[in-house]
Amino acid sequence: MIIIHRRFPVVFLLASLLFHAPFAAAAEPPKLDAANTAWMLTASVLVLFMTLPGLALFYAGLVRMKNVLSVLMQCFAITCIVTLAWVVVGYSVAFGDAGTLNAWYGGFGKAFFSGIEVKTVKGSIPETVFAMYQLTFAIITPALVIGAFAERVRFSGMLLFSLCWLLLVYCPVAHWVWGDGWLAKMGIMDFAGGTVVHLNAGIAALVCATVLGKRRGFPDTPMPPHNMTMTVTGACMLWVGWFGFNAGSALAADGAAGMAMLVTHIGAAMGAFAWIVCEWMRYGKPSALGAVTGMVAGLGTITPASGFVGPIGALAIGAAAGICCFFATSYMKQALKVDDSLDVFPVHGVGGALGTTLTGVFAAAYFGGVGYPEKVTMGDQVLVQLTGVLAVAVWSGVVTWILLKISDAVAGMRVEHEEENEGLDTVLHNEKGYNL
């Protein structure tokens, strides 16, 4: 009896371990998926390709010859400065955990990528890959904004403004929507950046164009694109890169990524076609500029919906994008006389707001979408979407205005009239885009 009694704790311990084995297995850390990792590495390259060289060439072709290098330089420099800021604190603010304040920002716990190692996993991919992928989004968003003040800002002022805007506008909004912030908890549907990227950049562009004023000679002096071949080439690169932007936001190589890729392509094609039709009916001839602008509008508008809608939704959203953004562009230039140089607000701002709102409609299973969460109706979801649109628009608009004033006081934003007439390539960089 004594022997049995002494062995009983050992037997009990073994039985307990066996009983709790399933629970121990359930608590295992997430495992890396090689297929998902390979796809996300590719998607990161595609999204970076959207800025360098896609957006850089698209914008550079749209400005006048004397400013082509300045736009290329701005895109290149933003890529560099955003990367450094992302490492230091940007990633932490966007995707960290601030504890009790996590609804608003991610804190500083992951500053300098603290705690992120080779084996650190985020979902089913390395966190290094996740951080790199999100960095490409952080790069292209302030790069979009420069289209609003192209041909008239100082390089130093642009750099200071873009850096501050990234940290105080983009990163907090990214956390609200994608970093388990307050909009994410409300249930907003923004798969790849309708609010975070397009609406955010569009509102900032509108504020920049209004505060910094018109280019010298606008709107009386014609300012046609100097190289449409360059613009169309850049637009084609944007179209291809956008598959990484939207399909990559699934963060996996699965059916959701496949559907996101399909509806992205449909939205782009429909947006371009709708713009061509509008232009043909109004002006008698379709233009290459109109076609590629409609394509970008379609892509920007389908972006928030890409992981939630089916082909029918993509057709409807693409058509709405081409039509609404076409008339918004005309109204901005002709009626309001706002010199948003490269039409950032009417294409990305209007498209981002439109796409985010329509996501709440076409996510319905009736239209082939993924459906809504339990007990959520279409009206409920649309209200959440509109709340997100309003919140991002207000935050982006107010903070952008403040940052413009600070940047102007510290570094100066507008070049002098004589410098603008001479061209920013020569004045700011002592170079010329073409030696003819």
Side-chain angles (χ1 to χ4, degrees):
M1 294 296 294
I2 297 175
I3 295 174
I4 294 174
H5 177 72
R6 288 176 177 176
R7 289 180 179 177
F8 179 77
V10 178
V11 175
F12 180 80
L13 178 61
L14 291 173
S16 299
L17 289 173
L18 289 172
F19 180 79
H20 287 288
F23 296 95
E28 288 182 0
K31 294 182 179 179
L32 184 145
D33 186 286
N36 292 346
T37 302
W39 163 235
M40 292 310 300
L41 287 167
T42 304
S44 299
V45 173
L46 286 171
V47 182
L48 182 60
F49 183 72
M50 290 174 66
T51 304
L52 297 176
L55 183 69
L57 292 176
F58 181 72
Y59 274 0
L62 291 173
V63 299
R64 289 169 288 182
M65 186 183 299
K66 61 186 179 180
N67 297 311
V68 57
L69 278 182
S70 71
V71 172
L72 293 170
M73 182 63 172
Q74 287 171 6
C75 288
F76 195 93
I78 283 175
T79 301
C80 297
I81 195 170
V82 168
T83 299
L84 301 178
W86 192 249
V87 172
V88 174
V89 73
Y91 177 71
S92 184
V93 171
F95 293 100
D97 187 343
T100 56
L101 296 176
N102 197 56
W104 306 104
Y105 83 118
F108 305 104
K110 291 190 176 183
F112 292 96
F113 283 10
S114 176
I116 300 177
E117 301 174 351
V118 173
K119 295 182 180 180
T120 309
V121 177
K122 181 87 169 178
S124 63
I125 64 175
E127 189 166 5
T128 52
V129 176
F130 177 79
M132 178 64 201
Y133 180 68
Q134 294 297 339
L135 168 58
T136 61
F137 280 67
I139 287 169
I140 198 170
T141 309
L144 287 172
V145 178
I146 68 172
F149 49 63
E151 303 193 289
R152 59 192 187 273
V153 297
R154 296 188 181 282
F155 185 68
S156 56
M158 180 280 304
L159 276 182
L160 177 61
F161 169 76
S162 297
L163 174 62
C164 295
W165 192 87
L166 169 82
L167 297 176
L168 297 176
V169 180
Y170 177 84
C171 289
V173 172
H175 184 77
W176 296 353
V177 178
W178 296 331
D180 201 30
W182 70 278
L183 284 176
K185 291 187 180 300
M186 281 186 66
I188 191 170
M189 290 181 167
D190 185 356
F191 193 70
T195 53
V196 180
V197 177
H198 298 287
L199 176 64
N200 207 1
I203 293 296
L206 178 62
V207 174
C208 287
T210 304
V211 172
L212 296 177
K214 305 171 185 177
R215 287 169 291 179
R216 189 173 178 84
F218 180 91
D220 301 318
T221 304
M223 300 178 185
H226 91 280
N227 191 331
M228 274 304 302
T229 302
M230 183 183 290
T231 293
V232 173
T233 301
C236 293
M237 292 175 177
L238 283 171
W239 192 336
V240 173
W242 224 288
F243 294 130
F245 202 79
N246 288 1
S249 291
L251 301 179
D254 58 11
M259 180 60 80
M261 177 175 282
L262 176 62
V263 298
T264 296
H265 191 67
I266 293 171
M270 193 66 199
F273 181 73
W275 193 295
I276 288 171
V277 171
C278 290
E279 197 172 50
W280 212 336
M281 293 176 63
R282 185 163 186 175
Y283 301 114
K285 293 180 181 179
S287 70
L289 177 58
V292 297
T293 305
M295 176 271 293
V296 173
L299 287 168
T301 307
I302 195 62
T303 286
S306 56
F308 304 112
V309 304
I312 299 300
L315 287 171
I317 290 173
I323 295 169
C324 294
C325 294
F326 171 80
F327 285 105
T329 301
S330 299
Y331 186 72
M332 284 277 294
K333 295 279 190 199
Q334 299 172 10
L336 299 181
K337 308 295 183 186
V338 175
D339 188 15
D340 180 347
S341 306
L342 308 183
D343 302 321
V344 183
F345 173 74
V347 173
H348 296 278
V350 172
L354 180 65
T356 302
T357 304
L358 291 180
T359 298
V361 176
F362 290 101
Y366 177 80
F367 295 114
V370 298
Y372 306 113
E374 188 177 356
K375 296 182 180 180
V376 174
T377 66
M378 182 184 293
D380 294 334
Q381 191 62 52
V382 170
L383 183 60
V384 171
Q385 302 299 103
L386 289 172
T387 301
V389 168
L390 180 61
V392 173
V394 171
W395 179 261
S396 181
V398 171
V399 180
T400 296
W401 185 86
I402 294 171
L403 293 178
L404 282 172
K405 295 298 183 181
I406 294 173
S407 300
D408 187 47
V410 173
M413 290 296 293
R414 276 297 294 256
V415 297
E416 300 296 333
H417 288 320
E418 295 76 13
E419 295 174 322
E420 187 176 330
N421 287 336
E422 185 176 348
L424 303 189
D425 291 358
T426 303
V427 170
L428 299 181
H429 306 295
N430 197 32
E431 295 174 301
K432 291 184 179 180
Y434 305 96
N435 292 307
L436 302 176

